[in-house]
Amino acid sequence: MSMSAPTVTSETPESPETPGTEGPGGADRAETAAAPAPEPAPALRAALSRTWVQAAAVVAVLAVAAALPLPGSATAFPGGPGEALDGWLKELYSWVVSNRDTSPLFVYGFNYLSVYLGSAVVLISDLLATLTWTGVAVIGALGAWRLAGWRVMLVVAAAFAVFGLTGLWDEAMLTLALITAAVALALVVGLPLGVWAGRSDRVERALRPVLDFMQTMPAFAYLMPMLLLFGIGNPSAAVATAIYALPPAVRITSMALRGVDKGAVEAAESLGSTRWQMLAKVRLPLAKRTIMLGVNQTIMLGVSMVVIASVIGAGGLGDAIYQALQKGDIGRALEAGLAIVMLAIAMDRVTGAMGAGRPLPAPWQRIAFAGALVASLAVFLLPTPLRAPDGWPRAWQLDLAGPVNAFYEALKDAIGGFTSLVGDWTVVWVLEPLHMLLAGPPWWLVIAAAAVLGYLFAGGRAAAVGALSLLAVGLMGQWGNGMDTLSQVLLAAVLVVALGLVLGIAMARNDRLAAVLRPVLDAMQTLPPFVYLIPAVALFSVGRVPALVAAVVFALPPVIRLVNDGIRGVPANTVEAARSLGSSRGQLLSKVQLPLARSALLMAVNQAIMLILSMVVIGALVGGGALGYDVVFGLKQNEFGQGLTAGLAIVCLGLLLDRMTQGRKNNA
């Protein structure tokens, strides 16, 4: 027996006529009066609720405020707090200089560490000098063969050859000694901290914000505090390098220990292993490959930082580049840059092969290696005719600087007018308007806009961090230079993200292109950031434009990689389902792959901005100006207040941009 629902008919109940509505058209007027007000169209409401539309409205408000003829007193940040802070920092610097040899803090603390680090660098340099170039080359090649195989041995031998042929052997050995001392210090501190964090959740939670802060700080920000505590020279460079290279050693060691197979741990526990046996016999051996990746990253960061530390008297290859760029000697800068690149590649290949789990060599290979090593030490440590105490023979050096400078002059004559025109156009029509957008409105409006944008993109915590960071920049007296630096970073970020998306999407869709680009990206990520300044200066001379070009090229590889990995990581069944529904390639990309790869894309934007910030600051060495110039000027002229406040302002901008680009998942 089936039952059907009763049919409901709706009838409009009759209502008494409203007075005053009688006559022709009265009913229509009554209906019009009683009808509700029309609502906005759903499409308009949806558009207004989109984050990017709201962000565009915030930018439009800034643009209108920047166009208003406001007096400078209404737009500039009050200078009183910055002047007071600068005066206090100068007094602190004067006190440190006056009491460096009498205060117990220095006599029994920092001075001791400075002496030990300086002695370590000198000891390593003396050892390398005692071995002479022949001993270093032979023993280094043999060690690379033993640890990483004959292919890596050839790379190491090629690096030594470049050091000698360019006449930069002594500078390369000093850089190698600094890297060895700094990385050893970073690993001595970082590996135990990583082990502790890997075994204790409380320690890991305590270290995480500290490591986040350290990795947010651009390299230049480490130099001024180290200069205050240790003075100019190798000790301050070694400590700054060690601190800068420390985070990956801690993070990756902790991650490696936490990623050890739980079954192996439970099996060891069931056999009665103690905590120390668990660590030494199970966790560390199983985590060795990942820990070596952390060592590799620590070494590569050390290479890049040692080069930058030439600004505070570290010497070596970084100083050779810096001096050459200051003199406009592109050829000599290229020689030193090539030496740094070969050093970085050689160290990367050796430590990378050690972490890859290379099988032990055969017994005959071990015997041959031991015999060759003993023979080499006997030959090069004892006074024999094979020793070369006078260094790399001058007759074997090649003059690369001359032909390179000649080519540079010809290139400048051919395209110098065009590159100069492009640079001037970029500054006048892009950088200056963008700078005015940030520096033209009242400072409090810019801070409010940063808070609103932080809330839209990443939530309430990012809004608070963004507002406080910009406020701190103003209170330190660096508002104008901070907005200048921020405008350069934003322009470079737009270019990097646009290029990275195009190349990353093309790489994800074409396996052949991916095979070609992958080694190129590997090589680009191996290069220290200092090296990118050389071709940029060669094309655009000095100024803000070469700093921007170097920043774009430096930040591009990780963005391409992350976009490629994000798109390739979209589940295959999801892609096939979209194709089966008739999605075109464009629809598949815009509606499926990019939305599902959102986390990877956010990471790409975050990494791009942080790398750009560090590189734009380094660009001060070639006329980039803004905060980077203040840091360099403070380092060179002992203007501690100006240099430190500029470094802290860079850190604040890093916090602002980092939190704003992490997305709501991490900050809400």
Side-chain angles (χ1 to χ4, degrees):
M1 180 176 178
S2 62
M3 298 179 60
S4 59
T7 302
V8 179
T9 59
S10 60
E11 296 180 359
T12 304
E14 295 182 1
S15 58
E17 293 181 355
T18 304
T21 61
E22 298 85 2
D28 294 338
R29 287 195 302 272
E31 290 178 4
T32 302
E39 297 182 1
L44 179 60
R45 291 201 306 271
L48 293 176
S49 65
R50 291 178 180 173
T51 301
W52 289 105
V53 175
Q54 296 170 348
V58 174
V59 175
V61 171
L62 289 179
V64 171
L68 296 176
L70 299 175
S73 58
T75 59
F77 200 96
E83 294 173 359
L85 178 61
D86 183 69
W88 182 82
L89 290 174
K90 286 181 178 178
E91 293 178 0
L92 174 63
Y93 181 74
S94 299
W95 181 89
V96 170
V97 172
S98 302
N99 296 274
R100 191 184 296 276
D101 297 328
T102 57
S103 172
L105 178 65
F106 289 92
V107 174
Y108 302 106
F110 294 115
N111 289 355
Y112 267 107
L113 182 59
S114 176
V115 170
Y116 289 147
L117 286 173
S119 301
V121 174
V122 171
L123 180 63
I124 298 171
S125 298
D126 290 345
L127 176 61
L128 295 175
T130 302
L131 289 173
T132 72
W133 73 267
T134 48
V136 172
V138 171
I139 294 173
L142 287 174
W145 171 61
R146 172 63 177 82
L147 296 172
W150 65 271
R151 292 184 177 86
V152 177
M153 180 191 72
L154 294 179
V155 174
V156 172
F160 288 135
V162 169
F163 300 158
L165 292 174
T166 56
L168 292 166
W169 182 268
D170 293 338
E171 290 84 352
M173 293 303 101
L174 178 56
T175 299
L176 183 60
L178 278 168
I179 293 172
T180 303
V183 170
L185 178 61
L187 294 179
V188 165
V189 176
L191 291 180
L193 280 177
V195 172
W196 194 12
R199 301 189 65 187
S200 171
D201 292 338
R202 181 178 298 177
V203 174
E204 198 274 336
R205 286 194 300 269
L207 287 178
R208 188 187 304 133
V210 178
L211 297 176
D212 288 343
F213 179 77
M214 292 174 66
Q215 290 189 290
T216 303
M217 291 178 64
F220 259 49
Y222 289 90
L223 299 182
M224 187 58 74
M226 297 305 106
L227 183 64
L228 174 67
L229 297 176
F230 299 100
I232 294 177
N234 292 334
S236 57
V239 175
T241 301
I243 295 174
Y244 182 72
L246 182 68
V250 179
R251 282 189 184 278
I252 297 179
T253 301
S254 174
M255 180 187 69
L257 292 179
R258 291 176 178 271
V260 170
D261 182 46
K262 294 182 179 179
V265 174
E266 292 174 355
E269 287 177 344
S270 66
L271 294 175
S273 298
T274 63
R275 289 173 61 87
W276 172 252
Q277 290 173 328
M278 286 284 297
L279 178 64
K281 303 294 185 181
V282 180
R283 293 183 183 273
L284 288 178
L286 292 178
K288 176 186 174 183
R289 179 176 299 184
T290 307
I291 291 174
M292 286 305 302
L293 175 62
V295 173
N296 174 271
Q297 293 298 305
T298 300
I299 291 175
M300 299 314 295
L301 287 178
V303 172
S304 64
M305 187 63 188
V306 161
V307 176
I308 297 170
S310 62
V311 180
I312 55 175
L317 294 173
D319 188 62
I321 291 184
Y322 178 63
Q323 296 297 333
L325 289 176
Q326 291 294 307
K327 298 175 182 177
D329 190 350
I330 300 299
R332 192 57 175 171
L334 185 63
E335 286 182 337
L338 179 61
I340 290 174
V341 169
M342 291 304 300
L343 176 63
I345 292 175
M347 300 187 78
D348 177 64
R349 294 298 182 268
V350 171
T351 54
M354 291 170 61
R358 182 173 178 265
L360 293 175
W364 70 268
Q365 291 177 319
R366 279 179 270 177
I367 294 173
F369 168 76
L373 182 60
V374 171
S376 300
L377 290 174
V379 168
F380 299 117
L381 289 179
L382 297 176
T384 63
L386 294 178
R387 296 183 77 245
D390 296 331
W392 186 276
R394 290 184 177 274
W396 293 4
Q397 295 179 11
L398 299 178
D399 181 20
L400 298 179
V404 169
N405 283 330
F407 175 77
Y408 168 64
E409 293 297 332
L411 182 67
K412 188 165 62 173
D413 292 338
I415 65 172
F418 174 74
T419 56
S420 177
L421 182 64
V422 171
D424 293 341
W425 183 89
T426 302
V427 171
V428 173
W429 295 102
V430 182
L431 272 178
E432 289 300 333
L434 186 56
H435 178 243
M436 281 303 301
L437 179 67
L438 297 173
W443 61 269
W444 53 266
L445 183 61
V446 177
I447 293 176
V452 174
L453 291 174
Y455 179 79
L456 291 176
F457 290 129
R461 186 178 301 176
V465 171
L468 292 176
S469 298
L470 282 188
L471 181 62
V473 171
L475 291 174
M476 289 184 290
Q478 294 289 346
W479 183 261
N481 285 335
M483 295 304 100
D484 192 357
T485 298
L486 186 58
S487 65
Q488 296 180 44
V489 172
L490 293 178
L491 174 59
V494 171
L495 296 174
V496 168
V497 172
L499 291 172
L501 279 174
V502 172
L503 293 176
I505 292 169
M507 188 176 175
R509 289 186 165 185
N510 191 320
D511 292 336
R512 289 185 179 179
L513 180 62
V516 172
L517 285 180
R518 195 169 290 115
V520 176
L521 298 177
D522 288 341
M524 291 177 67
Q525 288 190 278
T526 305
L527 304 181
F530 221 71
V531 176
Y532 287 91
L533 294 175
I534 300 171
V537 171
L539 290 175
F540 295 95
S541 186
V542 295
R544 286 184 287 179
V545 174
L548 282 174
V549 172
V552 169
V553 179
F554 176 63
L556 194 56
V559 176
I560 297 174
R561 283 186 178 278
L562 287 168
V563 173
N564 171 59
D565 293 342
I567 293 177
R568 288 180 180 269
V570 174
N573 56 355
T574 304
V575 175
E576 291 300 325
R579 285 174 177 165
S580 66
L581 294 174
S583 298
S584 64
R585 288 172 61 88
Q587 291 172 330
L588 180 65
L589 178 67
S590 61
K591 303 295 184 182
V592 179
Q593 292 174 318
L594 291 180
L596 291 179
R598 178 178 178 272
S599 59
L601 299 180
L602 281 176
M603 179 63 71
V605 174
N606 179 271
Q607 291 297 302
I609 289 179
M610 301 312 297
L611 290 174
I612 288 167
L613 177 62
S614 64
M615 192 66 198
V616 164
V617 174
I618 296 173
L621 298 175
V622 293
L627 293 175
Y629 173 80
D630 280 357
V631 174
V632 175
F633 182 81
L635 292 170
K636 290 296 184 181
Q637 303 297 326
N638 291 328
E639 291 289 340
F640 179 71
Q642 182 178 351
L644 184 60
T645 54
L648 292 175
I650 293 167
V651 175
C652 291
L653 291 183
L655 288 173
L656 163 72
L657 297 170
D658 179 63
R659 294 299 181 267
M660 193 174 291
T661 54
Q662 283 188 4
R664 286 187 173 272
K665 180 179 179 181
N666 297 327
N667 294 293

Coordinates of all heavy atoms in Angstrom, one line a residue, residues 326-392:
Q326 N 84.9 46.5 -5.8 CA 85.0 47.9 -5.4 C 85.9 48.7 -6.4 O 85.6 49.9 -6.7 CB 85.7 48.0 -4.0 CG 84.8 47.6 -2.9 CD 83.6 48.4 -2.7 OE1 83.7 49.6 -2.5 NE2 82.4 47.8 -2.6
K327 N 86.8 48.0 -7.1 CA 87.7 48.6 -8.1 C 87.1 48.5 -9.5 O 87.7 49.0 -10.4 CB 89.1 48.0 -8.0 CG 89.8 48.2 -6.7 CD 91.1 47.4 -6.7 CE 91.8 47.6 -5.3 NZ 93.0 46.8 -5.3
G328 N 86.0 47.8 -9.7 CA 85.4 47.6 -11.0 C 86.2 46.6 -11.8 O 86.1 46.6 -13.1
D329 N 87.1 45.8 -11.2 CA 87.9 44.8 -11.8 C 87.1 43.5 -12.0 O 87.2 42.6 -11.2 CB 89.2 44.5 -11.1 CG 90.2 43.7 -11.8 OD1 89.8 43.1 -12.9 OD2 91.3 43.6 -11.4
I330 N 86.2 43.4 -13.0 CA 85.3 42.3 -13.2 C 86.1 41.0 -13.4 O 85.7 39.9 -13.0 CB 84.4 42.6 -14.4 CG1 83.5 43.8 -14.1 CG2 83.5 41.4 -14.6 CD1 82.7 43.7 -12.9
G331 N 87.2 41.1 -14.1 CA 88.0 39.9 -14.4 C 88.6 39.3 -13.2 O 88.5 38.0 -13.0
R332 N 89.1 40.1 -12.3 CA 89.6 39.5 -11.0 C 88.5 39.0 -10.1 O 88.6 37.9 -9.5 CB 90.4 40.6 -10.2 CG 91.3 40.0 -9.1 CD 92.2 39.0 -9.5 NE 93.1 38.5 -8.4 CZ 93.9 37.5 -8.5 NH1 93.9 36.8 -9.6 NH2 94.6 37.1 -7.4
A333 N 87.4 39.7 -10.1 CA 86.2 39.2 -9.4 C 85.7 37.9 -9.9 O 85.4 37.0 -9.1 CB 85.1 40.2 -9.4
L334 N 85.8 37.7 -11.2 CA 85.4 36.4 -11.8 C 86.3 35.3 -11.4 O 85.9 34.2 -11.2 CB 85.3 36.6 -13.3 CG 84.7 35.4 -14.1 CD1 83.3 35.1 -13.7 CD2 84.8 35.6 -15.6
E335 N 87.6 35.6 -11.4 CA 88.6 34.6 -11.0 C 88.3 34.1 -9.6 O 88.2 32.9 -9.3 CB 90.0 35.1 -11.1 CG 90.5 35.3 -12.5 CD 91.9 35.8 -12.5 OE1 92.4 36.4 -11.5 OE2 92.6 35.6 -13.5
A336 N 88.1 35.1 -8.7 CA 87.8 34.7 -7.3 C 86.5 34.0 -7.1 O 86.3 33.1 -6.4 CB 87.9 36.0 -6.4
G337 N 85.5 34.5 -7.9 CA 84.2 33.8 -7.9 C 84.3 32.4 -8.4 O 83.6 31.5 -7.8
L338 N 85.1 32.1 -9.4 CA 85.2 30.8 -9.9 C 85.9 29.9 -8.9 O 85.5 28.7 -8.7 CB 86.1 30.8 -11.2 CG 86.4 29.4 -11.9 CD1 85.1 28.7 -12.3 CD2 87.3 29.6 -13.0
A339 N 86.9 30.4 -8.1 CA 87.5 29.7 -7.1 C 86.5 29.3 -6.0 O 86.5 28.2 -5.5 CB 88.7 30.5 -6.5
I340 N 85.7 30.3 -5.6 CA 84.7 30.0 -4.6 C 83.7 28.9 -5.0 O 83.3 28.0 -4.3 CB 84.0 31.3 -4.2 CG1 84.9 32.2 -3.4 CG2 82.7 31.0 -3.3 CD1 84.3 33.6 -3.1
V341 N 83.3 29.0 -6.3 CA 82.3 28.1 -6.8 C 82.9 26.7 -6.8 O 82.3 25.7 -6.4 CB 81.9 28.5 -8.3 CG1 81.2 27.3 -9.0 CG2 81.1 29.7 -8.3
M342 N 84.2 26.5 -7.2 CA 84.8 25.2 -7.2 C 85.0 24.7 -5.8 O 84.8 23.5 -5.5 CB 86.2 25.3 -7.9 CG 86.1 25.5 -9.4 SD 85.1 24.3 -10.3 CE 86.0 22.8 -9.9
L343 N 85.3 25.6 -4.8 CA 85.4 25.1 -3.4 C 84.1 24.6 -2.9 O 84.0 23.6 -2.3 CB 85.9 26.3 -2.6 CG 86.0 26.0 -1.1 CD1 87.0 24.9 -0.8 CD2 86.4 27.3 -0.3
A344 N 83.0 25.4 -3.2 CA 81.7 25.0 -2.8 C 81.3 23.7 -3.4 O 80.7 22.8 -2.7 CB 80.7 26.1 -3.1
I345 N 81.5 23.5 -4.7 CA 81.1 22.3 -5.4 C 81.9 21.1 -4.8 O 81.3 20.0 -4.6 CB 81.3 22.4 -6.9 CG1 80.3 23.4 -7.5 CG2 81.2 21.1 -7.6 CD1 80.5 23.7 -9.0
A346 N 83.2 21.2 -4.6 CA 84.0 20.1 -4.1 C 83.5 19.7 -2.7 O 83.4 18.5 -2.5 CB 85.5 20.6 -4.1
M347 N 83.3 20.7 -1.8 CA 82.8 20.3 -0.5 C 81.4 19.7 -0.5 O 81.1 18.8 0.3 CB 82.9 21.5 0.4 CG 84.3 22.2 0.5 SD 84.4 23.5 1.7 CE 84.4 22.5 3.3
D348 N 80.6 20.2 -1.4 CA 79.3 19.7 -1.5 C 79.3 18.2 -2.0 O 78.6 17.4 -1.5 CB 78.4 20.5 -2.5 CG 77.0 20.0 -2.7 OD1 76.3 19.9 -1.7 OD2 76.7 19.6 -3.8
R349 N 80.1 17.9 -3.0 CA 80.2 16.6 -3.5 C 80.8 15.6 -2.5 O 80.3 14.5 -2.4 CB 81.0 16.6 -4.8 CG 80.4 17.4 -6.0 CD 79.1 16.8 -6.4 NE 78.5 17.5 -7.5 CZ 77.7 18.6 -7.5 NH1 77.3 19.0 -6.3 NH2 77.2 19.2 -8.5
V350 N 81.8 16.0 -1.8 CA 82.4 15.1 -0.8 C 81.4 14.7 0.3 O 81.2 13.6 0.6 CB 83.7 15.7 -0.3 CG1 84.2 14.9 0.9 CG2 84.8 15.8 -1.3
T351 N 80.8 15.8 0.9 CA 79.9 15.5 2.0 C 78.6 14.9 1.5 O 78.0 14.0 2.2 CB 79.6 16.8 2.8 OG1 79.1 17.8 1.8 CG2 80.8 17.4 3.4
G352 N 78.2 15.2 0.3 CA 77.0 14.5 -0.2 C 77.2 13.1 -0.5 O 76.3 12.2 -0.2
A353 N 78.4 12.7 -1.0 CA 78.7 11.3 -1.2 C 78.8 10.5 0.1 O 78.4 9.4 0.3 CB 80.0 11.1 -2.0
M354 N 79.4 11.2 1.1 CA 79.5 10.6 2.5 C 78.1 10.3 3.0 O 77.9 9.2 3.7 CB 80.2 11.5 3.4 CG 81.7 11.6 3.1 SD 82.5 12.9 4.0 CE 82.3 12.3 5.7
G355 N 77.1 11.1 2.8 CA 75.8 10.9 3.3 C 75.0 10.0 2.5 O 73.9 9.5 2.9
A356 N 75.4 9.7 1.3 CA 74.6 8.8 0.4 C 74.8 7.3 0.7 O 74.3 6.4 0.0 CB 75.0 9.0 -1.1
G357 N 75.6 7.0 1.7 CA 75.8 5.6 2.1 C 76.7 4.8 1.1 O 76.3 3.7 0.7
R358 N 77.8 5.4 0.7 CA 78.7 4.7 -0.3 C 79.2 3.5 0.3 O 79.7 3.5 1.5 CB 79.8 5.7 -0.7 CG 80.8 5.1 -1.7 CD 81.8 6.2 -2.1 NE 82.7 5.6 -3.1 CZ 83.9 5.2 -2.7 NH1 84.3 5.2 -1.4 NH2 84.8 4.7 -3.6
P359 N 79.2 2.3 -0.4 CA 79.8 1.1 0.2 C 81.3 1.2 0.5 O 82.0 2.0 -0.2 CB 79.5 0.1 -0.9 CG 79.3 0.9 -2.2 CD 78.7 2.2 -1.7
L360 N 81.7 0.4 1.5 CA 83.1 0.4 1.8 C 84.0 -0.1 0.7 O 83.6 -1.0 -0.1 CB 83.4 -0.5 3.0 CG 82.7 0.0 4.4 CD1 82.9 -1.0 5.4 CD2 83.4 1.3 4.8
P361 N 85.2 0.5 0.5 CA 86.0 0.1 -0.6 C 86.6 -1.3 -0.3 O 86.6 -1.8 0.8 CB 87.2 1.1 -0.6 CG 87.2 1.7 0.7 CD 85.7 1.7 1.2
A362 N 87.0 -2.0 -1.4 CA 87.6 -3.3 -1.3 C 88.9 -3.3 -0.5 O 89.5 -2.2 -0.3 CB 87.8 -3.9 -2.7
P363 N 89.3 -4.4 0.1 CA 90.5 -4.4 0.9 C 91.7 -3.9 0.2 O 92.5 -3.1 0.8 CB 90.7 -5.9 1.3 CG 89.3 -6.5 1.2 CD 88.6 -5.7 0.1
W364 N 91.9 -4.2 -1.1 CA 93.1 -3.7 -1.8 C 93.0 -2.2 -2.0 O 94.1 -1.6 -2.0 CB 93.2 -4.4 -3.2 CG 92.1 -4.0 -4.2 CD1 90.9 -4.6 -4.4 CD2 92.2 -2.9 -5.1 NE1 90.2 -3.9 -5.4 CE2 91.0 -2.8 -5.8 CE3 93.2 -1.9 -5.3 CZ2 90.7 -1.9 -6.8 CZ3 92.9 -0.9 -6.3 CH2 91.7 -0.9 -7.0
Q365 N 91.8 -1.7 -2.1 CA 91.7 -0.2 -2.2 C 92.1 0.5 -0.9 O 92.7 1.5 -0.9 CB 90.3 0.2 -2.6 CG 89.9 -0.2 -4.1 CD 88.5 0.1 -4.4 OE1 87.6 -0.1 -3.5 NE2 88.2 0.6 -5.6
R366 N 91.7 -0.1 0.2 CA 92.0 0.4 1.5 C 93.5 0.4 1.7 O 94.1 1.3 2.2 CB 91.3 -0.3 2.6 CG 89.8 0.1 2.8 CD 89.1 -0.6 3.9 NE 88.5 -1.8 3.3 CZ 87.9 -2.7 4.1 NH1 87.8 -2.6 5.4 NH2 87.3 -3.8 3.5
I367 N 94.1 -0.7 1.3 CA 95.6 -0.8 1.5 C 96.3 0.2 0.6 O 97.2 0.9 1.0 CB 96.0 -2.3 1.1 CG1 95.5 -3.3 2.2 CG2 97.6 -2.4 1.1 CD1 95.7 -4.7 1.8
A368 N 95.8 0.3 -0.6 CA 96.4 1.3 -1.5 C 96.2 2.7 -1.0 O 97.2 3.5 -1.1 CB 95.8 1.2 -2.9
F369 N 95.1 3.0 -0.5 CA 94.9 4.4 0.1 C 95.8 4.6 1.2 O 96.4 5.7 1.3 CB 93.4 4.5 0.5 CG 93.2 5.8 1.3 CD1 93.1 7.0 0.7 CD2 93.0 5.7 2.7 CE1 92.9 8.1 1.4 CE2 92.8 6.8 3.4 CZ 92.7 8.1 2.8
A370 N 95.9 3.7 2.2 CA 96.7 3.9 3.3 C 98.2 4.1 2.9 O 98.9 4.9 3.4 CB 96.6 2.7 4.3
G371 N 98.7 3.3 2.0 CA 100.0 3.4 1.5 C 100.3 4.7 0.9 O 101.3 5.4 1.1
A372 N 99.3 5.2 0.0 CA 99.5 6.5 -0.7 C 99.5 7.6 0.3 O 100.2 8.6 0.2 CB 98.4 6.6 -1.7
L373 N 98.6 7.5 1.3 CA 98.5 8.6 2.3 C 99.8 8.7 3.1 O 100.4 9.8 3.4 CB 97.3 8.4 3.2 CG 97.1 9.4 4.3 CD1 96.8 10.8 3.7 CD2 95.9 9.0 5.2
V374 N 100.3 7.5 3.6 CA 101.6 7.5 4.4 C 102.7 8.1 3.5 O 103.6 8.9 4.0 CB 101.9 6.1 4.9 CG1 103.3 6.1 5.5 CG2 100.8 5.7 5.9
A375 N 102.8 7.7 2.3 CA 103.9 8.1 1.4 C 103.8 9.6 1.2 O 104.8 10.3 1.2 CB 103.8 7.4 0.1
S376 N 102.6 10.1 1.0 CA 102.4 11.6 0.8 C 102.8 12.4 2.0 O 103.5 13.4 1.9 CB 100.9 11.8 0.4 OG 100.5 11.1 -0.7
L377 N 102.4 11.9 3.2 CA 102.8 12.6 4.4 C 104.3 12.6 4.6 O 104.9 13.6 5.0 CB 102.1 12.0 5.6 CG 100.6 12.2 5.7 CD1 100.0 11.4 6.9 CD2 100.2 13.7 5.9
A378 N 104.9 11.5 4.3 CA 106.4 11.4 4.4 C 107.0 12.3 3.4 O 108.0 13.0 3.8 CB 106.8 10.0 4.2
V379 N 106.5 12.4 2.2 CA 107.2 13.2 1.2 C 107.0 14.7 1.5 O 107.9 15.5 1.4 CB 106.6 12.9 -0.2 CG1 107.0 13.9 -1.2 CG2 107.1 11.5 -0.6
F380 N 105.7 15.1 1.9 CA 105.4 16.5 2.0 C 105.6 17.1 3.3 O 105.6 18.3 3.5 CB 104.0 16.7 1.5 CG 103.8 16.3 0.1 CD1 102.9 15.3 -0.2 CD2 104.5 16.9 -1.0 CE1 102.7 14.9 -1.6 CE2 104.3 16.5 -2.3 CZ 103.4 15.5 -2.6
L381 N 105.8 16.3 4.4 CA 106.1 16.8 5.7 C 107.6 16.9 5.9 O 108.1 17.6 6.8 CB 105.4 16.0 6.8 CG 103.9 16.2 6.8 CD1 103.3 15.4 8.0 CD2 103.5 17.7 7.1
L382 N 108.4 16.0 5.2 CA 109.8 16.0 5.4 C 110.5 16.9 4.3 O 109.9 17.1 3.3 CB 110.3 14.6 5.3 CG 109.8 13.6 6.4 CD1 110.3 12.2 6.1 CD2 110.3 14.0 7.8
P383 N 111.7 17.4 4.6 CA 112.4 18.2 3.6 C 112.9 17.4 2.4 O 113.9 16.7 2.5 CB 113.5 18.9 4.4 CG 113.7 17.9 5.5 CD 112.4 17.3 5.9
T384 N 112.1 17.3 1.4 CA 112.5 16.6 0.2 C 112.4 17.5 -1.0 O 111.7 18.5 -1.0 CB 111.5 15.4 0.0 OG1 110.2 15.9 -0.2 CG2 111.5 14.5 1.2
P385 N 113.0 17.1 -2.1 CA 113.0 17.9 -3.4 C 111.6 18.1 -3.9 O 111.3 19.0 -4.7 CB 113.9 17.1 -4.3 CG 114.8 16.3 -3.5 CD 114.0 15.9 -2.3
L386 N 110.6 17.2 -3.6 CA 109.3 17.3 -4.1 C 108.5 18.4 -3.5 O 107.4 18.7 -4.0 CB 108.6 15.9 -4.0 CG 109.2 14.8 -4.8 CD1 108.4 13.5 -4.6 CD2 109.2 15.1 -6.3
R387 N 108.9 18.9 -2.3 CA 108.1 19.9 -1.7 C 108.3 21.2 -2.4 O 109.3 21.5 -3.0 CB 108.6 20.1 -0.2 CG 108.3 18.9 0.7 CD 108.7 19.2 2.1 NE 107.7 20.0 2.8 CZ 107.9 21.2 3.2 NH1 109.1 21.8 3.0 NH2 107.0 21.9 3.8
A388 N 107.2 22.0 -2.4 CA 107.2 23.3 -3.1 C 107.0 24.4 -2.0 O 105.8 24.9 -1.9 CB 106.2 23.3 -4.2
P389 N 108.0 24.8 -1.3 CA 107.7 25.7 -0.2 C 107.3 27.1 -0.6 O 106.8 27.9 0.2 CB 109.1 25.8 0.6 CG 110.1 25.4 -0.5 CD 109.4 24.4 -1.4
D390 N 107.6 27.5 -1.8 CA 107.3 28.8 -2.3 C 105.9 29.0 -2.9 O 105.6 30.0 -3.5 CB 108.3 29.3 -3.4 CG 109.7 29.3 -2.8 OD1 109.9 29.6 -1.6 OD2 110.7 29.1 -3.6
G391 N 105.1 28.0 -2.7 CA 103.7 28.1 -3.2 C 103.6 27.7 -4.6 O 104.5 27.2 -5.3
W392 N 102.4 27.9 -5.2 CA 102.1 27.5 -6.5 C 103.0 28.3 -7.5 O 103.1 29.5 -7.4 CB 100.6 27.9 -6.8 CG 100.2 27.4 -8.2 CD1 100.3 28.0 -9.4 CD2 99.5 26.2 -8.5 NE1 99.8 27.3 -10.4 CE2 99.3 26.1 -9.9 CE3 99.0 25.1 -7.7 CZ2 98.6 25.1 -10.5 CZ3 98.4 24.0 -8.3 CH2 98.2 24.0 -9.7

